[in-house]
Amino acid sequence: MVATEEEKSLFNLFAQEGNQQIAIEDIEKAFAKFSIELELFSLATIAKRLDLTPSSHYELDSFAALLREAKSLNADYEVIKSTFANYDTDDDGFISRSELEKGLAEQESQLPKRELRDLFANMDFNHDGQVSLKEFARFMTFSY
């Protein structure tokens, strides 16, 4: 992958003198320039998605790959937040099993009770009986 001029410029802005590497904490600052929030997807998660070896420093090509993946995830996250809001009909910040069932029914995607229970259980990573935005985003991002 060839880094764009914009990626090179951003990399050079934060790269450490002489070693042509950027530290993880500086990657987060660079991402902020693009309004990329890492509230759901840590750099380690993004690196894993790209099959990059987790590191405390990355070279230009790896940085460019991380940036592109983070931009993509950030765009996906906006869609996920909107979808989550459609299911969270009581606006409490969580999706209950009944909200999920109603939302699926509105989309004409009714599932048998057992499949609905299994789907909800797969979304509810911490098993507290409700699905947070973070859990929903994690499920939508990594399950499909």
Side-chain angles (χ1 to χ4, degrees):
M1 166 192 359
V2 177
T4 66
E5 289 304 315
E6 181 181 43
E7 291 163 346
K8 287 177 188 176
S9 176
L10 190 59
F11 178 84
N12 289 331
L13 182 65
F14 291 100
Q16 296 179 348
E17 295 276 327
N19 69 2
Q20 290 302 300
Q21 294 184 334
I22 186 170
I24 283 182
E25 54 272 8
D26 292 328
I27 291 175
E28 292 177 9
K29 292 174 192 171
F31 282 8
K33 295 270 187 197
F34 286 96
S35 300
I36 296 172
E37 299 293 329
L38 292 173
E39 55 187 282
L40 292 179
F41 310 107
S42 69
L43 284 175
T45 301
I46 297 170
K48 183 178 177 183
R49 284 176 59 97
L50 295 170
D51 291 326
L52 292 175
T53 303
S55 176
S56 60
H57 292 79
Y58 290 95
E59 294 180 354
L60 175 59
D61 289 343
S62 296
F63 168 76
L66 286 167
L67 180 60
R68 290 175 192 173
E69 185 69 10
K71 282 180 176 179
S72 174
L73 286 172
N74 208 50
D76 292 347
Y77 180 54
E78 293 304 316
V79 172
I80 288 169
K81 282 194 307 190
S82 175
T83 304
F84 179 87
N86 290 333
Y87 283 98
D88 181 20
T89 55
D90 63 5
D91 293 324
D92 68 349
F94 297 95
I95 298 172
S96 67
R97 197 158 107 187
S98 65
E99 286 174 317
L100 179 63
E101 184 175 17
K102 287 176 192 170
L104 290 173
E106 288 174 8
Q107 296 175 0
E108 299 178 10
S109 298
Q110 290 185 345
L111 296 175
K113 293 285 184 193
R114 183 174 188 191
E115 288 182 33
L116 175 67
R117 185 181 64 237
D118 292 345
L119 175 64
F120 189 82
N122 286 328
M123 289 181 172
D124 184 13
F125 289 96
N126 67 1
H127 309 292
D128 66 353
Q130 55 190 4
V131 176
S132 68
L133 174 58
K134 187 172 185 175
E135 289 171 312
F136 186 75
R138 182 176 167 198
F139 177 82
M140 296 302 288
T141 302
F142 297 107
S143 296
Y144 293 101

